[in-house]
Amino acid sequence: MNFEALFQQQAALPSIPKVVQEVIESFNNENVSIEEISKKLSADQVLSAKILRLANSSYYHVSRSVGTVDDAVLMLGFMTVRTLVVSTGLTGSFKSMGGVDLKLFWRYSLHTAIVAKWLAKKQALNSDLAFTVGLMHAIGQLVMHAAMPEQTLQVDKIASPIDARRLDVERTTFGYDFSDVGAELARRWRFPEEFSVVIKGFSAPLDTDPFNKIAAIVHIAAWRARAEENKYSREEMESTFPEKVAERLNVKAGMLLDDLPPLLELGAGMEELIA
């Protein structure tokens, strides 16, 4: 199926709640009214309940209980709450998919997100952006599974969704890969242009011009999440470490192998996002 035809498939474009769409669009609006968005979020009981569970999770170490969306904005900041809203909208938009282990997919994506956020903080970059793009970097795979299940399941047999060879196999098979599809989805969902740039560039960040640091961070984070899922030994991690990409960021292997907390500990409390 060619790239354009893929997006003509009704099943390929999941719907996201209107309030989540409005929050996405607020990324592009410097004059956004935080009060107005908080009010809309509060009116969505399912969404606000999930945001409050996440805001009260051990991940954010808040000093007192967060009882309302307004409290969450006050305690965590609008940027973080916005990240939580969009992340919740993303994980909830694909319900079930034949032949796809969604639990594994979102666990891998969440691990990518938390490592990307950790790395971005170390680099004094936008950690909320790194988290959100880390979470959605592979979402193109779900679009492809939804739009052309039989063809994509054939690709699964050659390279699983978290196999490092996956992008190459897709490109050989279809002429495009999940990073192309994810970047287009971000455009159609009206995310800021930078989201599309990072999703498109994360697979080969050294080939992007100009060099995009967040794309490079997501590349390294995806490697670390794959290592976690495939239970790499230290030797395997050392031999597969994306050294050239890390060099461009001035990141040493020891930072990921020794300084990074265990992912279960680093992401404690965020399991709610993929439950």
Side-chain angles (χ1 to χ4, degrees), residues 173-187:
T173 308
F174 305 118
Y176 54 86
D177 59 45
F178 71 79
S179 69
D180 298 314
V181 176
E184 178 61 20
L185 181 69
R187 269 192 288 277

Side-chain angles (χ1 to χ4, degrees), residues 85-193:
V85 172
V86 173
S87 302
T88 302
L90 288 174
T91 54
S93 58
F94 293 89
K95 293 292 183 227
S96 64
M97 212 166 274
V100 180
D101 185 342
L102 279 176
K103 206 162 182 59
L104 181 151
F105 176 86
W106 285 118
R107 185 173 63 232
Y108 155 77
S109 299
L110 180 60
H111 283 155
T112 302
I114 59 176
V115 174
K117 180 171 183 167
W118 184 85
L119 259 179
K121 274 188 171 168
K122 296 281 180 195
Q123 295 268 310
L125 295 168
N126 185 337
S127 60
D128 280 322
L129 171 67
F131 181 92
T132 311
V133 185
L135 189 74
M136 68 184 293
H137 80 284
I139 206 165
Q141 283 187 20
L142 299 187
V143 175
M144 292 165 82
H145 272 104
M148 44 180 187
E150 287 174 20
Q151 290 163 281
T152 313
L153 287 169
Q154 288 306 310
V155 170
D156 288 348
K157 290 174 185 172
I158 305 166
S160 81
I162 60 164
D163 191 313
R165 300 166 301 162
R166 176 73 181 211
L167 290 145
D168 290 337
V169 174
E170 287 179 350
R171 190 158 279 288
T172 304
T173 308
F174 305 118
Y176 54 86
D177 59 45
F178 71 79
S179 69
D180 298 314
V181 176
E184 178 61 20
L185 181 69
R187 269 192 288 277
R188 288 175 184 245
W189 271 350
R190 298 201 287 278
F191 275 94
E193 182 59 24

Side-chain angles (χ1 to χ4, degrees), residues 108 112 116 119 129-131 133-135 137 198-199 202 213-223 249:
Y108 155 77
T112 302
L119 259 179
L129 171 67
F131 181 92
V133 185
L135 189 74
H137 80 284
V198 174
I199 294 168
F202 94 90
K213 287 185 174 181
I214 299 284
I217 279 173
V218 172
H219 179 89
I220 295 171
W223 160 80
L249 290 170

